[in-house]
């Protein structure tokens, strides 16, 4: 309807015509029951016509007729072009072609020189070379004729002198050892030296065992106690600054001027310097495990 200014609503908005209402009056179709592609089941569909196989017929190609790369070009024979090139190259030759006098020679077998340029080599010939006649060397100079015999069981066969025979007793080592042992014991003086520090076991089987015999039992002597108390004969002396309270008398004074004594004047009869003895000596000790195994 026209407005107050005399223009319609379409003219005032600036549109040529009013928009259509497409969905007005259409039936409601749920989106769950709506087909996925409704147009695919209507009208004619795409028919490719089946697959084509490669053959010599035109039906095996996509084009309806054979299409050439170049239209209207002339036919060229490659053999004819090759012959023309050979004829042009032959015109450049000054004379005839070189032909060998004879064909190629082939060898007859391994070691054959047939077909070679130089022929056989005399150095590689299989024939034996002439040699001088062998002359055996002369014999050595002999001063005496050779001794007969193999050497085993024969006397005077070796180069040196024959070994002299010496008797060897059956018990010679035993007798020699006995003689040396007697000589050794004859040189000894006294018995063998034994230390008192012979190693013993840590724990004895009987702790109350004693090697030496027990001494006789001593009777306890009863001492008689003094009846009267002890009293000194005189009272104790007191120190009064003059050494009257000491047991010994006052030492006599000796005049000794102060002089430095030389080391040569000092007597060497004074007390000797103490040198400690050596440390304990090692001795074989058996372990507790070994003692238990022996028991």
């Amino acid at each position: 309807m026209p407005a107050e200014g005399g223009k319609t609503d379409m003219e005032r908005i600036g549109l040529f015509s009013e928009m259509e209402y497409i969905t007005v009056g259409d039936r409601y179709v749920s989106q769950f029951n709506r087909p996925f592609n409704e147009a695919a089941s209507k009208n004619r569909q795409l028919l490719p016509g089946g697959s084509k196989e490669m053959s010599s017929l035109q039906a095996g190609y996509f084009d309806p007729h054979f299409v050439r790369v170049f239209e209207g070009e002339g036919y060229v024979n490659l053999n004819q072009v090759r012959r023309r090139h050979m004829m042009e190259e032959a015109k450049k030759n000054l004379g005839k072609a070189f032909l060998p006098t004879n064909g190629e020679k082939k060898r007859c077998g391994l070691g054959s020189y047939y077909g070679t340029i130089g022929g056989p080599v005399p150095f590689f010939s299989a024939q034996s070379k002439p040699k001088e006649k062998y002359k055996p060397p002369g014999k050595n100079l002999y001063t005496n004729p050779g001794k007969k015999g193999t050497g085993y069981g024969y006397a005077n066969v070796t180069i040196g002198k024959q070994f002299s025979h010496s008797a060897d007793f059956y018990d010679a080592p035993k007798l020699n050892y006995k003689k040396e042992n007697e000589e050794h014991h004859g040189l000894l003086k006294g018995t063998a030296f034994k230390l008192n520090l012979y190693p013993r076991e840590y724990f004895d089987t009987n702790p109350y065992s004693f090697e030496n015999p027990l001494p006789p039992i001593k009777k306890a002597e009863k001492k008689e106690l003094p009846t009267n108390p002890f009293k000194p004969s005189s009272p104790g002396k007191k120190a009064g600054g003059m050494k009257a309270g000491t047991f010994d008398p006052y030492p006599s004074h000796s005049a000794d001027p102060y002089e430095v004594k030389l080391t040569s004047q000092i007597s060497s009869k004074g007390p000797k310097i103490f040198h400690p003895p050596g440390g304990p000596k090692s001795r074989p000790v058996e372990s507790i495990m070994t003692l238990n195994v022996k028991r």
Side-chain angles (χ1 to χ4, degrees):
M1 54 182 301
E4 297 178 357
K7 292 184 178 180
T8 60
D9 295 337
M10 292 293 101
E11 293 177 353
R12 182 172 54 81
I13 295 174
L15 299 177
F16 294 99
S17 61
E18 188 177 358
M19 299 296 292
E20 298 179 356
Y21 301 96
I22 300 174
T23 59
V24 175
D26 293 346
R27 296 180 60 183
Y28 173 76
V29 179
S30 176
Q31 60 181 355
F32 299 102
N33 299 330
R34 185 179 302 174
F36 174 71
N37 191 2
E38 188 177 359
S41 60
K42 296 180 180 180
N43 301 327
R44 298 182 63 180
Q45 306 301 320
L46 177 65
L47 301 176
S51 60
K52 295 183 180 180
E53 296 180 359
M54 197 71 176
S55 64
S56 58
L57 301 178
Q58 193 61 34
Y61 300 93
F62 293 98
D63 298 333
H65 61 278
F66 183 74
V67 180
R68 294 178 59 86
V69 180
F70 299 102
E71 293 288 344
E73 79 276 12
Y75 176 71
V76 178
N77 191 357
L78 297 179
N79 292 335
Q80 187 176 3
V81 173
R82 194 177 299 108
R83 289 171 184 172
R84 289 177 183 176
H85 178 71
M86 292 174 61
M87 292 174 63
E88 292 177 359
E89 295 293 332
K91 293 179 181 179
K92 298 179 182 180
N93 296 333
L94 300 177
K96 296 181 179 180
F98 172 75
L99 297 175
T101 56
N102 295 322
E104 180 184 358
K105 296 181 180 181
K106 297 182 180 180
R107 293 167 53 178
C108 299
L110 184 62
S112 174
Y113 294 95
Y114 181 77
T116 58
I117 299 175
V121 181
F123 182 78
F124 295 102
S125 177
Q127 297 180 0
S128 60
K129 297 180 181 180
K131 298 181 180 179
E132 297 180 359
K133 188 177 181 180
Y134 174 75
K135 295 180 181 181
K139 295 182 179 181
N140 295 330
L141 180 63
Y142 290 102
T143 57
N144 290 325
K147 298 179 181 181
K148 297 181 180 181
T150 58
Y152 181 76
Y154 292 86
N156 299 326
V157 180
T158 58
I159 299 174
K161 295 181 179 181
Q162 190 70 16
F163 294 101
S164 61
H165 176 70
S166 60
D168 188 8
F169 297 100
Y170 179 75
D171 292 336
K174 185 176 181 181
L175 297 175
N176 294 336
Y177 174 74
K178 185 177 180 181
K179 184 179 179 181
E180 292 176 358
N181 194 12
E182 290 177 356
E183 293 178 357
H184 170 68
H185 285 284
L187 299 174
L188 295 178
K189 295 180 181 180
T191 58
F193 176 73
K194 295 182 180 179
L195 290 173
N196 295 330
L197 302 176
Y198 184 76
R200 298 181 181 179
E201 298 179 355
Y202 287 104
F203 306 102
D204 297 331
T205 54
N206 185 7
Y208 301 100
S209 63
F210 192 70
E211 296 178 357
N212 300 328
L214 295 176
I217 300 174
K218 296 181 180 180
K219 297 180 180 180
E221 298 178 356
K222 295 182 179 180
K223 295 182 180 181
E224 296 180 0
L225 297 176
T227 56
N228 299 325
F230 172 76
K231 293 181 180 182
S233 59
S234 60
K237 300 178 180 180
K238 297 180 180 180
M242 58 177 181
K243 306 297 181 182
T246 58
F247 292 97
D248 297 334
Y250 187 78
S252 61
H253 176 72
S254 61
D256 189 5
Y258 177 75
E259 293 181 1
V260 179
K261 294 183 179 180
L262 300 177
T263 55
S264 60
Q265 298 177 0
I266 300 173
S267 61
S268 61
K269 295 182 180 180
K272 296 183 180 180
I273 301 174
F274 173 72
H275 295 282
K281 298 180 180 179
S282 61
R283 57 188 180 86
V285 178
E286 295 184 357
S287 63
I288 300 175
M289 183 65 70
T290 307
L291 294 175
N292 294 331
V293 171
K294 289 183 179 180
R295 290 174 185 173

